[in-house]
Amino acid sequence: MRVLIVGEIGGIALAAAMGWLVLLARWLKGRPATGWLAGLRQVPRRYLVDVHHVVARRPAAARMHAMAAGGVLGGAALALLAALLGAGGIVWALAALAFGMGGIGALLVWRRRVPKAPPALSGGAFLWLPAALAAWCVGNGLAALFMAIGASALPVIPSVVLGGLGGVALLRLVALGPMRHALAGVAWLAGHTRPGRFTGKGRDTGLRPLDLAAPRLGVLVPADFSGPELAAFDACIQCGRCEEACPAFAAGQRLNPKALIQTLSGAMRAVPPPYAGRPAPSVPVLQGKGGMGQPIVGNVLHRDTLWACTTCRACVEECPMLIEHVDAVVALRRGQTLMLGATRDGAAQALRASRERAEPGGRDLAARGDMIAALDMPVLPPGGESDILLWLGEGAFDARYGRTLRALVTLMRRAGLRFATLGADEVDCGDLARRLGDEATFQSLAAEAISALKARRFTKIVTADPHALHVLRNEYPALGGRWEVQHHTGLLDELVRDGRLRLERRESTRVAYHDPCYLGRYNGEIDAPRRLLDAACTDRVEMARHGMRAMCCGGGGGSPVSDVDAVTRIPDLRMEQARAAGAGLVAVACPGCTAMLEGVTGPRPEIRDVAELVLAAVVAGAMV
Amino acid sequence: MRSVVLLSGGIDPVSGRPAPPSGEIAAIGLALSAGGAVGGVHVGLPAAALGQAAGHGLGQIACLRGVGDPVAILAAHLSAAPPDLVLAGSRACGGEDSGMLPYLLAERLGWPLLAGVVAIGTVADGWLPVTIGLPLGARQDARIRLPCILCAHDAAPAPPFVFDRARRVAMHAVAVADAETIAPPEGTERPYRARPRLIGSAAPAGGGRVLDNPDPAEAARVLLDHLRALGMLDA
């Protein structure tokens, strides 16, 4: 009997290992990754801590997964141990208990889609998953139970057969997708392309520089992705949390992050298993054939999908498998932009202006300060010295955001700070070019900005633009520019805390703070703006989606210049959420969010930058 | 079909940074649409704008290293191995550029020239059909005998910029014989002054005659009389 059980469970385990090697062989056709195998020892921690942390945001799903996965694996391990070592009834009983737990897990998996499946979940082969899990757990669980009580071979054999059938079904579901995440997840977690997410601050959001001398820039075919990235696409469990969070999907643009990852997974295969989840909205079915050397965009992936992404990282934040959707989008964009020049028309204009005028709007760099000209801002010449360098950013060209900058400058003056701008030497930081995949223009803009900054002496950089903040703080270090970079809300929070600005709460309508993606998710700064608003306003409310899980305004990632078709506008959706929270005023902290949300037509809550609200509430400053 | 695109060391008018003028990018697009071998020619040292122009679709650019009149240098270079088609923008953006170069070159080579070209067709019997862009979006078909010089319309479709092509461009210096120096322009320079609008005030209201399908000689006589009556021709 023991031999039979070892043969059944061991055989299934061996077959699973073989399946893993087959998958691995395919992933290894991607770009080589260093230290991939060495990462295997990190897997248990990353799986049990980091993955579970995300899964547990939905406790029911976490319970289901812990029981199903724990039961399937734990029961098998214990039964194998008992059968191999000839252990006593107690180990068999424990194995039976674990399988029993797995059986309950299978029931929960079934309950997830019955009586009504949530629309974000995939159907198809997933509908067979509970049956396969149940057969494996019930069959093997009964076998273990009979072994524990020392029953005869008669009831054990059919139990083992049932368990074996369940095992075969689970293996089949590896090929079809639903169980593939278990095998691919191990490889992906071992070789995760952003190890910084597991150490230190737990945040790693900057894009990596591209070697512009490499023969192939970015990704055109699946083999251009690195091995671990390919494993990541296979690791997707199609839970649909990303598509629930995706602003582009909500607005009816041709992007569904789940379908995107499934498409990339399918792109590796000539005959991919059928996808039974929601597709990207209004995308025609592409008839292209996949393969490691077959083009992705235009063949299996619709072009518009690529340009609809606002790079807000909401999908990444929600993904329990810690997949890096945005990196995949940017890698594909890099291939399209750098190798083929296949950008949208509006984006091509912005990129040309970035190349030729160092400013995506094509405006004269000397005009950047026009909106704050009345404040007579000092300009730091090369070799000059100041305490703070104020990076104005692209928003400074905009008259509306000029009001924010004037509020900020007024507050900084009242606090007695010494600061200056780069004047006409401030080029665009390159954020837009980089998100649109034009790494070459980004690197040349970054080199110019870094040399302009290095020619001056200052203690820190302050900017009101979270996109510039992210680029300067997180992406310039890889190119040799290291400075302390602070967002204006962080600076104002410091000034209020140190008593250099004294605020008195102003009676106001209800204020809801809209987190900019590049300040919140990209930099983890969600508290300082809220502290400021609490000090400046009497009544602050939270929108349903806020903080690290806030919804994007639709302004990032070059999406606005890419003329993406949509059913509705992302900022309209966001404004609806603000209304639902009862807000009469939406506080913002980013020129992009300001422009997008102010662009919402009809009666709507007012839009004010945090700096404007703080200025309205300030009663005393150090210099008054 | 061998095409040569004339490239300038363009300067962006707003930023003063190197940038290929739109007309030259459009010229590259026309050259590519003609098919066959396409190369760029620039008189002078390799300039940053050339690499950017190459990103729009040029595999190689010859930089003619000679001193003197660029028209003479270009004419000598082009007549040594005449291409079928020479394309240029309508005007460079380098500051001193007059937009005269293609015309002077055509005069010196004795080639025909058409300006404002937005599209070209396929050659038949040595004639190249082209479409010329006129104001207000009007289009005019024309044909021109090869070899010829075409000046692209600024609004002709521009091929996309591809960084991969820009970084792969082969820019080779070609030593050429020095040419005569440019004669200083005739005439005197004086600051611009606003001139009164003559046409509107000179034309008397009403008057004139409508001729229906007139005899050409009769029509010419009526026009001349009318112009004399307006005082625009000597009596």
Side-chain angles (χ1 to χ4, degrees):
Chain A
M1 274 313 98
R2 277 166 48 198
V3 176
L4 186 69
I5 292 177
V6 168
E8 185 249 330
I9 295 181
I12 296 291
L14 269 179
M18 291 296 293
W20 192 77
L21 290 177
V22 171
L23 288 169
L24 183 66
R26 188 181 288 125
W27 302 327
L28 285 173
K29 289 180 189 153
R31 283 185 196 168
T34 49
W36 193 3
L37 278 179
L40 277 174
R41 61 195 158 78
Q42 313 271 11
V43 170
R45 198 190 126 78
R46 289 178 180 180
Y47 178 71
L48 293 172
V49 177
D50 302 282
V51 170
H52 182 74
H53 175 74
V54 184
V55 178
R57 287 183 202 154
R58 298 187 185 183
R63 265 197 306 279
M64 173 203 80
H65 190 259
M67 294 186 95
V72 165
L73 294 176
L78 284 168
L80 213 52
L81 195 76
L84 281 174
L85 301 180
I90 184 81
V91 183
W92 283 112
L94 281 175
L97 194 68
F99 277 126
M101 210 172 68
I104 299 172
L107 195 69
L108 293 176
V109 173
W110 176 72
R111 280 291 297 165
R112 219 172 165 211
R113 289 178 173 79
V114 175
K116 196 175 175 313
L121 289 182
S122 292
F126 277 89
L127 301 177
W128 290 96
L129 186 56
L133 287 170
W136 171 259
C137 290
V138 171
N140 288 323
L142 284 177
L145 193 65
F146 293 136
M147 293 299 287
I149 59 173
S152 70
L154 198 64
V156 176
I157 291 173
S159 306
V160 171
V161 169
L162 179 64
L165 283 176
V168 171
L170 286 176
L171 287 176
R172 178 75 190 123
L173 289 175
V174 168
L176 287 175
M179 281 305 292
R180 196 166 55 209
H181 72 288
L183 302 185
V186 174
W188 164 233
L189 290 177
H192 199 287
T193 48
R194 291 193 175 275
R197 287 180 69 171
F198 309 103
T199 54
K201 291 179 299 181
R203 209 171 27 256
D204 182 0
T205 54
L207 292 174
R208 307 275 189 270
L210 199 60
D211 173 16
L212 293 175
R216 173 67 61 90
L217 304 172
V219 168
L220 293 177
V221 302
D224 295 333
F225 280 113
S226 74
E229 285 175 298
L230 293 173
F233 305 145
D234 277 351
C236 170
I237 178 58
Q238 306 187 34
C239 65
R241 294 186 187 193
C242 53
E243 78 175 50
E244 289 174 351
C246 178
F249 178 78
Q253 297 176 5
R254 295 195 177 95
L255 167 63
N256 175 342
K258 177 172 113 173
L260 167 74
I261 297 299
Q262 283 305 309
T263 302
L264 292 175
S265 167
M268 288 184 253
R269 299 162 168 87
V271 188
Y275 169 63
R278 274 193 292 193
S282 33
V283 161
V285 177
L286 296 180
Q287 301 293 350
K289 232 174 154 52
M292 292 304 284
Q294 294 295 315
I296 297 172
V297 178
N299 184 37
V300 293
L301 183 70
H302 196 278
R303 287 182 188 287
D304 291 5
T305 296
L306 218 49
W307 306 108
C309 177
T310 66
T311 67
C312 73
R313 280 183 80 83
C315 49
V316 183
E317 183 71 21
E318 295 300 323
C319 182
M321 286 310 301
L322 314 178
I323 296 171
E324 292 284 342
H325 311 62
V326 176
D327 285 353
V329 166
V330 172
L332 285 162
R333 284 183 178 182
R334 283 173 170 175
Q336 293 297 304
T337 305
L338 297 171
M339 298 299 290
L340 305 174
T343 50
R344 303 294 293 252
D345 283 350
Q349 281 174 30
L351 292 178
R352 184 174 174 197
S354 298
R355 262 196 321 276
E356 299 177 352
R357 299 183 178 170
E359 207 288 298
R363 292 156 294 203
D364 187 0
L365 293 180
R368 194 189 296 273
D370 285 2
M371 293 304 155
I372 51 167
L375 296 175
D376 201 17
M377 277 286 291
V379 172
L380 204 57
E385 189 271 337
S386 185
D387 291 340
I388 293 177
L389 185 109
L390 185 64
W391 184 274
L392 294 176
E394 210 204 335
F397 286 104
D398 176 43
R400 165 65 185 89
Y401 208 67
R403 294 217 305 268
T404 300
L405 285 174
R406 286 197 294 277
L408 173 63
V409 168
T410 309
L411 285 168
M412 287 167 79
R413 287 226 165 111
R414 290 188 82 162
L417 300 181
R418 201 162 66 93
F419 56 97
T421 69
L422 284 181
D425 282 355
E426 181 185 324
V427 295
D428 184 64
C429 65
D431 166 70
L432 182 69
R434 188 167 230 199
R435 300 319 129 186
L436 284 171
D438 190 347
E439 182 72 4
T441 302
F442 166 74
Q443 288 191 12
S444 100
L445 287 172
E448 199 176 335
I450 288 172
S451 80
L453 290 168
K454 278 191 172 163
R456 286 132 172 116
R457 280 168 296 128
F458 47 83
T459 341
K460 66 179 172 188
I461 301 172
V462 169
T463 179
D465 183 346
H467 296 262
L469 171 91
H470 170 65
V471 170
L472 267 65
R473 180 192 278 171
N474 301 324
E475 297 189 343
Y476 278 5
L479 302 167
R482 283 173 198 281
W483 293 277
E484 187 195 338
V485 190
Q486 199 175 27
H487 189 245
H488 73 303
T489 53
L491 174 78
L492 294 176
D493 184 44
E494 241 176 57
L495 293 175
V496 171
R497 191 189 61 207
D498 297 348
R500 300 182 73 172
L501 287 177
R502 211 152 55 73
L503 305 186
E504 203 164 78
R505 283 207 187 107
R506 291 279 181 267
E507 282 294 333
S508 67
T509 93
R510 281 189 163 180
V511 178
Y513 174 63
H514 164 79
D515 290 88
C517 308
Y518 277 73
L519 189 62
R521 271 188 294 276
Y522 274 80
N523 282 287
E525 295 188 14
I526 53 175
D527 298 327
R530 287 182 166 79
R531 273 196 297 272
L532 283 172
L533 289 175
D534 287 338
C537 313
T538 47
D539 191 3
R540 186 171 71 79
V541 288
E542 289 288 8
M543 289 186 254
R545 291 181 60 181
H546 62 271
M548 299 297 277
R549 305 176 79 179
M551 181 168 151
C552 176
C553 70
S559 181
V561 295
S562 293
D563 317 320
V564 186
D565 289 347
V567 174
T568 164
R569 296 177 73 250
I570 296 172
D572 290 1
L573 298 175
R574 186 57 170 159
M575 193 57 85
E576 202 42 59
Q577 296 170 5
R579 283 197 196 99
L585 193 152
V586 177
V588 289
C590 167
C593 303
T594 311
M596 295 305 282
L597 293 175
E598 284 222 315
V600 176
T601 54
R604 56 157 167 76
E606 290 288 299
I607 310 294
R608 291 277 184 283
D609 193 276
V610 173
E612 294 178 281
L613 294 171
V614 170
L615 181 64
V618 76
V619 288
M623 302 293 283
V624 176
Chain B
M1 184 80 130
R2 192 167 76 86
S3 310
V4 165
V5 181
L6 306 184
L7 300 171
S8 61
I11 297 289
D12 182 89
V14 171
S15 67
R17 292 159 184 256
S22 297
E24 286 172 21
I25 297 173
I28 295 171
L30 291 178
L32 293 174
S33 74
V38 179
V41 172
H42 170 73
V43 181
L45 300 170
L50 298 181
Q52 293 186 31
H56 291 277
L58 292 177
Q60 48 182 342
I61 296 174
C63 295
L64 310 181
R65 307 278 289 272
V67 182
D69 183 4
V71 174
I73 292 175
L74 274 174
H77 176 75
L78 291 173
S79 48
D84 300 300
L85 206 54
V86 172
L87 294 121
S90 54
R91 162 162 88 96
C93 296
E96 298 272 309
D97 310 295
S98 63
M100 282 297 286
L101 183 132
Y103 297 91
L104 297 173
L105 188 62
E107 184 184 41
R108 193 176 284 244
L109 290 171
W111 289 9
L113 178 146
L114 272 179
V117 177
V118 290
I120 58 182
T122 46
V123 186
D125 302 329
W127 288 86
L128 177 71
V130 302
T131 306
I132 293 173
L134 301 173
L136 299 177
R139 294 287 182 265
Q140 185 180 26
D141 289 330
R143 53 184 200 143
I144 186 168
R145 185 165 275 289
L146 298 179
C148 66
I149 299 180
L150 300 179
C151 296
H153 197 287
D154 277 358
F161 174 83
V162 182
F163 173 74
D164 186 47
R165 284 201 291 244
R167 67 175 179 160
R168 283 176 202 280
V169 63
M171 256 191 263
H172 43 265
V174 181
V176 294
D178 291 349
E180 69 264 37
T181 48
I182 308 172
E186 292 169 17
T188 52
E189 278 190 17
R190 58 168 193 235
Y192 171 83
R193 65 177 169 79
R195 289 167 178 77
R197 285 165 60 89
L198 291 178
I199 296 170
S201 57
R209 282 168 58 195
V210 177
L211 300 179
D212 184 17
N213 197 18
D215 174 59
E218 162 76 2
R221 193 184 54 76
V222 171
L223 276 175
L224 284 171
D225 288 347
H226 184 63
L227 291 174
R228 285 201 182 94
L230 291 176
M232 296 177 80
L233 287 179
D234 295 333

